Amino acid sequence: EVQLVQSGAEVRKPGESLKISCKGSGYSFTTYWIGWVRQMPGKGLEWMGIIYPGDSDTRYSPSFQGQVTISAYQSISTAYLHWGSLKASDTAMYYCARGGSYFHHWGQGTLVTVSS
Amino acid sequence: EIVLTQSPGTLSLSPGERATLSCRASQSVSSSYLAWYQQKPGQAPRLLIYGASSRATGIPDRFSGSGSGTDFTLTISRLEPEDFAVYYCQQYGSSPWTFGQGTKAEIK
């Protein structure tokens, strides 16, 4: 069974850094793209970017380029979403999902709250 | 980037009725690379349809997708109580992939 298990909820202050994770199991981690999707409170879904763990090829939405970093470690079948300096506007639910086009399998989501 | 506009914003229907949801693209979506998702409160989205009209594994056949070019439709032939949710379309034909803003199907 394909599973994507995300790290737990986080609370941070503006300006702090953060890395959240998404661990894949039940399939060959290196041969499927993994993507990240943002959902701000009460709002819709936003495509952030995707990574191919096999060679770390990464694509970003222009809206998120330079704002976050997507990475993956093959050896532990885990993808990451990293912020160097959080803003209050980064408060949202973040989902990882498998797929380079449409997303067939989704993680349970990680709630990130940024507040002073 | 391709902007997807979903209509209506909210659909008020009764169980057993037919639901028709629209997704219009600002430019043609190549090869009908369009997907539909369902999201219930507190849950991750679930893939319903990909390639504009192919049902994902385990999706009931009351869900169907159609369309091409700039106009796509998700149809739920007879609404079940568990179908009341928010529905999103997503295009993956032109980078960056983008989502529509969603249509909420609510019980009338």
Side-chain angles (χ1 to χ4, degrees), chain B:
Chain B
E1 85 181 35
I2 294 180
V3 176
L4 299 178
T5 301
Q6 293 187 239
S7 61
T10 302
L11 199 54
S12 297
L13 294 168
S14 300
E17 289 193 294
R18 180 184 187 90
T20 303
L21 289 70
S22 172
C23 176
R24 180 160 291 175
S26 60
Q27 53 190 283
S28 183
V29 177
S30 63
S31 305
S32 295
Y33 285 154
L34 188 108
W36 289 93
Y37 301 85
Q38 176 194 68
Q39 187 179 33
K40 297 179 181 178
Q43 296 185 16
R46 176 174 73 144
L47 176 69
L48 299 175
I49 301 285
Y50 61 94
S53 60
S54 297
R55 267 189 303 277
T57 307
I59 301 303
D61 60 8
R62 64 180 181 272
F63 292 91
S64 63
S66 63
S68 64
T70 60
D71 289 296
F72 298 87
T73 300
L74 174 71
T75 301
I76 310 171
S77 58
R78 294 172 311 279
L79 281 162
E80 297 288 341
E82 62 267 27
D83 298 337
F84 291 92
V86 181
Y87 293 85
Y88 296 94
C89 57
Q90 179 222 341
Q91 67 82 23
Y92 50 97
S94 175
S95 183
W97 310 162
T98 49
F99 288 95
Q101 84 281 13
T103 289
K104 181 179 182 179
E106 65 175 25
I107 299 176
K108 188 173 181 180

Side-chain angles (χ1 to χ4, degrees), chain A residues 37 39 43-47 50 59-63 95 99-104 106-109, chain B residues 1 35 37 39 42-47 50-51 56-57 88 90 92 95-101:
Chain A
V37 175
Q39 187 166 40
K43 302 298 184 184
L45 306 174
E46 299 174 89
W47 188 88
I50 52 175
R59 319 280 174 84
Y60 293 93
S61 165
S63 299
Y95 293 101
S101 50
Y102 55 87
F103 293 128
H104 201 159
W106 293 69
Q108 83 277 19
Chain B
E1 85 181 35
Y37 301 85
Q39 187 179 33
Q43 296 185 16
R46 176 174 73 144
L47 176 69
Y50 61 94
T57 307
Y88 296 94
Q90 179 222 341
Y92 50 97
S95 183
W97 310 162
T98 49
F99 288 95
Q101 84 281 13

